[in-house]
Amino acid sequence: MLNLYNTLTRRRDAFEPLEPGIVKLYTCGPTVYNVAHLGNFRAYIFEDILRRTLEYRGYRVVQVMNLTDVDDKTIRGAIAAGISLDAFTQQFKDAFFEDLKTLRIKPAEHYPAATAHIPDMIALIERLIERNHAYVADDDSVYFNIASYPAYGRLARLDLSSLQPGTRVAHDEYAKDNVADFALWKAWDADDGDVAWDSPWGRGRPGWHIECSAMCMRYLGETFDIHTGGIDNIFPHHEDEIAQSEAATGKPLARYWLHCAHLIIDGQKMSKSLGNFHTLRDIVAMGFRGREIRYLLASAHYRQTLNFTFDALHAVRSALDRIDTFRQRLQQVAGGITVSQETALPDWAQNTAAKFDQAICDDLNTAAAYGALFETIHEGNRLMDGGRVSDRDAAAVLTMFDRWDRVLAIMTPDADATTVNGAEDPVIAGLLEQRQAARQGKNFKESDRIRDLLRDKGWIVRDTPAGQELKRAHITSDRHSLDGSIACAQ
RNA sequence: GGCGCCGUCGCCAAGUGGCUAAGGCAGCGGAUUGCAAAUCCGCCAUCGGGGGUUCGAAUCCCCCCGGCGCCUCCA
């Protein structure tokens, strides 16, 4: 059984899809006015792990992630750049998909763009007007009438009567009947430049929330299973989505609402003014890998504020090394044999296998799942030291790791980071040969000199009973190692 | 002012009423190694502070201290 914490009920609810075997999932995506930052990716990794867990549990998943390509920020950005809205947002859409790959995030089935669904939004707004849930104001904008929807505030647990207007209430929204009413359609104004669509209410553009309602219903139906986003989306975005969708259809929109907590940097909110604002690209440029960042962003439970630090990121590298070393060791013991998932696990792995499943199915407890992973590694190493792991057992554990990795996606090194045979580079191969000869002749001074030389060239060599092994050294530059010193090998 | 979250070993982080408080990183001692590396063995926290409930609390309640978030377009 899979339990998921549902913001709607504020409990961990047993998950059961509407339609057996298939899960319809809507995940709030990026506003493409900028390159996404670490906080955004914390949420997308959470959603990826949710998706992967559902698949792990045997469900087929239909996931929709919207791309918000029209709003105040995208319009402002396009005008500032002097290019069309489409051209402006396209570059960030491209960057977004590249970043998803870097982080091993599985693609969704659909990535609808808001600008491609304006007619759907107009149709939905018309439906709301017909049902008296929306009205055209004097400024030719259309607003949702909150007073017509008594359940408003149910998700965020907000008491409407106590709602105080925040500082960001636009001054120009005087046309609304009620300050809490929100825009479904915004009449064109000069700040919009040439961004506008025709509608029954004149030229204008959609409000923020309506795109998600229109697009989730188009791709997933009027009621679907899971809707996710960052914790900050609970109000107003998701609250408004529920109001306008359910007022239009009379049916519940999504049955499970999951929200991911924020990320902080060194205990502080990530912000440009504090100088701790990082995009994924910034971190990659320092020499860290997507795999490492993914591991770190999934290392805390998704409903817990995650403290991102460079110390922690360095620690990840060592942890991943431990995983890699263990898997290599298992492969050696397995000696090339592979087994199916049905093959019985050795006793020592059955225990942690159960722990892993329990953890991941308990509201996606990735931190505890990592615990099970490392307990397996410890026990496996211990038994392999004693020569008490058969080839078949090693293969079975490798198969289990592969299965776990369908959820975690952190086990395998990047293709360009895998151990390379030194023979591929004649210089390196030559040095290895020289070192081998020196060691055979007990000339350890010379062998140590070559080892240092290799390290300077970016390779770490270690001696094993099977001979020399070469690993690529991993160089990063961040505030803790600005000298570009060599950290652990990848 | 309203609503909500959090404070667990040097760092990251599980655990939310009852086995000796997971796990990773770092550190210390030992085994192993020509030296390293890897691995193993051992060591390394009583849970922000105070009070209360309970046979029993890191886990529930109250107060205080500290940090974070939402309150109309921010994941």
Side-chain angles (χ1 to χ4, degrees):
Chain A
M1 180 168 70
L2 174 62
N3 284 308
L4 298 172
Y5 184 87
N6 190 349
T7 305
L8 215 46
T9 59
R10 309 278 160 130
R11 281 194 325 252
R12 284 178 217 198
D13 291 335
F15 176 73
E16 205 60 61
L18 210 53
E19 201 181 315
I22 178 163
V23 179
K24 295 185 176 173
L25 170 67
Y26 189 89
T27 51
C28 270
T31 301
V32 283
Y33 73 107
N34 209 338
V35 181
H37 58 70
L38 282 179
N40 297 315
F41 287 113
R42 201 254 164 126
Y44 303 136
I45 285 176
F46 144 65
E47 287 154 357
D48 183 53
I49 286 177
L50 170 63
R51 179 206 167 96
R52 287 166 173 277
T53 298
L54 290 164
E55 290 176 337
Y56 183 76
R57 298 290 298 173
Y59 296 110
R60 186 162 77 80
V61 175
V62 179
Q63 181 186 358
V64 177
M65 178 176 276
N66 64 296
L67 302 172
T68 300
D69 58 355
V70 52
D71 79 322
D72 290 353
K73 291 190 294 278
T74 47
I75 292 170
R76 216 182 294 138
I79 290 172
I83 55 178
S84 71
L85 182 66
D86 279 353
F88 179 74
T89 57
Q90 189 59 48
Q91 58 189 325
F92 298 116
K93 289 178 187 173
D94 293 343
F96 178 67
F97 288 118
E98 277 176 31
D99 288 351
L100 292 186
K101 269 191 198 140
T102 300
L103 290 174
R104 309 182 178 193
I105 292 171
K106 283 184 110 173
E109 277 63 27
H110 305 281
Y111 288 103
T115 53
H117 294 77
I118 305 289
D120 287 341
M121 301 184 213
I122 289 174
L124 185 59
I125 295 169
E126 285 186 306
R127 209 163 153 191
L128 286 165
I129 293 174
E130 275 166 31
R131 291 183 161 227
N132 290 318
H133 285 298
Y135 56 91
V136 184
D138 293 343
D139 62 353
D140 290 332
S141 291
V142 184
Y143 295 97
F144 184 84
N145 174 14
I146 283 182
S148 74
Y149 186 73
Y152 192 81
R154 192 165 56 110
L155 179 72
R157 309 244 159 148
L158 283 179
D159 179 3
L160 259 191
S161 61
S162 71
L163 259 190
Q164 280 192 1
T167 51
R168 280 185 290 181
V169 172
H171 322 302
D172 61 353
E173 292 188 351
Y174 54 82
K176 296 193 286 190
D177 288 355
N178 183 321
V179 281
D181 288 350
F182 57 90
L184 299 169
W185 185 262
K186 302 172 114 171
W188 182 88
D189 77 32
D191 291 343
D192 293 343
D194 60 0
V195 176
W197 287 266
D198 286 319
S199 83
W201 319 286
R203 288 181 67 74
R205 61 181 171 100
W208 176 35
H209 318 298
I210 199 71
E211 64 169 78
C212 283
S213 291
M215 299 193 295
C216 66
M217 287 197 258
R218 161 161 293 271
Y219 291 94
L220 300 176
E222 294 186 343
T223 299
F224 55 94
D225 295 300
I226 308 176
H227 194 131
T228 72
I231 194 171
D232 51 303
N233 280 153
I234 295 173
F235 193 86
H237 186 52
H238 290 166
E239 191 68 58
D240 290 353
E241 251 185 274
I242 290 173
Q244 67 200 180
S245 303
E246 301 191 356
T249 66
K251 296 174 190 164
L253 183 63
R255 302 163 59 239
Y256 300 85
W257 290 80
L258 274 57
H259 295 95
C260 171
H262 280 170
L263 167 151
I264 56 177
I265 310 272
D266 294 321
Q268 290 184 297
K269 182 176 181 169
M270 178 167 70
S271 74
K272 285 179 177 159
S273 59
L274 286 171
N276 65 0
F277 184 94
H278 303 294
T279 65
L280 175 65
R281 280 141 192 260
D282 294 337
I283 307 290
V284 169
M286 289 175 187
F288 292 101
R289 294 197 164 269
R291 179 193 184 202
E292 295 165 340
I293 299 162
R294 177 183 175 94
Y295 181 101
L296 183 59
L297 293 183
S299 67
H301 182 86
Y302 76 90
R303 283 190 289 114
Q304 203 75 37
T305 302
L306 182 144
N307 190 15
F308 181 98
T309 68
F310 283 97
D311 283 345
L313 195 50
H314 281 292
V316 165
R317 180 159 302 162
S318 304
L320 290 176
D321 258 350
R322 186 163 160 82
I323 294 171
D324 292 346
T325 304
F326 180 69
R327 288 181 73 246
Q328 282 165 15
R329 203 175 172 192
L330 280 179
Q331 279 157 5
Q332 279 167 7
V333 172
I337 71 164
T338 55
V339 299
S340 73
Q341 270 188 57
E342 287 68 42
T343 304
L345 287 162
D347 292 345
W348 54 273
Q350 281 174 17
N351 181 28
T352 51
K355 277 189 187 174
F356 181 92
D357 282 1
Q358 194 183 339
I360 209 69
C361 291
D362 181 20
D363 197 29
L364 316 179
N365 193 339
T366 46
Y370 283 173
L373 170 62
F374 284 101
E375 281 180 40
T376 311
I377 290 174
H378 182 254
E379 192 59 12
N381 272 323
R382 205 174 67 79
L383 293 169
M384 281 192 283
D385 274 4
R388 281 149 56 208
V389 176
S390 69
D391 52 357
R392 196 171 149 285
D393 286 352
V397 174
L398 276 170
T399 299
M400 175 177 78
F401 271 37
D402 289 344
R403 199 174 77 244
W404 287 358
D405 204 41
R406 297 213 304 256
V407 176
L408 301 176
I410 46 91
M411 302 266 196
T412 54
D414 291 316
D416 62 339
T418 47
T419 302
V420 174
N421 188 331
E424 286 179 15
D425 181 334
V427 177
I428 303 299
L431 286 171
L432 280 178
E433 270 177 43
Q434 282 176 42
R435 184 166 180 275
Q436 172 73 357
R439 293 189 74 228
Q440 272 171 351
K442 303 278 185 206
N443 186 352
F444 296 119
K445 204 173 168 187
E446 173 66 3
S447 81
D448 289 350
R449 188 189 69 80
I450 297 172
R451 183 163 63 195
D452 290 346
L453 196 60
L454 283 166
R455 198 183 58 207
D456 291 345
K457 291 181 181 297
W459 295 94
I460 286 173
V461 65
R462 66 186 186 117
D463 301 313
T464 72
Q468 300 179 101
E469 277 187 6
L470 200 61
K471 294 167 82 175
R472 195 186 282 284
H474 200 143
I475 300 167
T476 58
S477 63
D478 61 71
R479 68 179 82 170
H480 295 279
S481 56
L482 289 169
D483 59 352
S485 62
I486 292 170
C488 301
Q490 171 55 60

